[in-house]
Amino acid sequence: MEQLLSTIAAYQDFVHTHKLAVIHVMRDNCSVCHAVLPQIRGLVEEYPGVVLGVINQSELEAIAGELNIFTVPVDLIYLEGKEMHRQGRFIDMQLFEKQLNLMYQSIA
């Protein structure tokens, strides 16, 4: 399941409502962001019950301050409302998948 998050409140509600959630932060004119999104989407689809939230920082500038983001893309994994893993700018998909799998196994 993928959801576009357009407010800080929606983001906070999203990560606190779902047991295991992935957040992808991107901007409109970021080619890397748009290239990474399908990879993250495909990875999340392999884990039933894991949800993907997408935040466009171009439309929600305040998310940078909320998440202490200085560059995009940023991909985060939340377990029970707590940030457990973060990668920014250059996303190591193997490491991201390893971390997601570890957290998924802990709740299975």
Side-chain angles (χ1 to χ4, degrees), residues 56-107:
N56 186 338
Q57 188 185 357
S58 298
E59 298 172 9
L60 183 60
E61 293 287 338
I63 200 66
E66 180 73 16
L67 296 175
N68 293 319
I69 292 174
F70 301 102
T71 187
V72 287
V74 174
D75 289 291
L76 307 110
I77 302 173
Y78 285 84
L79 179 62
E80 296 177 349
K82 295 181 183 113
E83 181 182 325
M84 301 301 286
H85 183 75
R86 172 187 292 231
Q87 287 190 32
R89 196 167 189 188
F90 301 106
I91 309 301
D92 180 338
M93 292 304 292
Q94 289 179 331
L95 176 60
F96 195 84
E97 181 174 13
K98 178 182 178 186
Q99 293 299 316
L100 183 59
N101 188 45
L102 285 171
M103 286 173 237
Y104 187 79
Q105 295 304 320
S106 76
I107 64 169

Side-chain angles (χ1 to χ4, degrees), residues 14-52:
F14 186 82
V15 297
H16 288 93
T17 302
H18 300 95
K19 192 167 195 124
L20 188 55
V22 173
I23 299 289
H24 176 77
V25 182
M26 58 188 291
R27 290 189 68 80
D28 284 338
N29 296 321
C30 171
S31 60
V32 175
C33 301
H34 291 280
V36 169
L37 180 57
Q39 295 176 51
I40 293 291
R41 186 181 291 136
L43 179 61
V44 169
E45 288 173 358
E46 294 178 23
Y47 295 88
V50 178
V51 292
L52 173 63

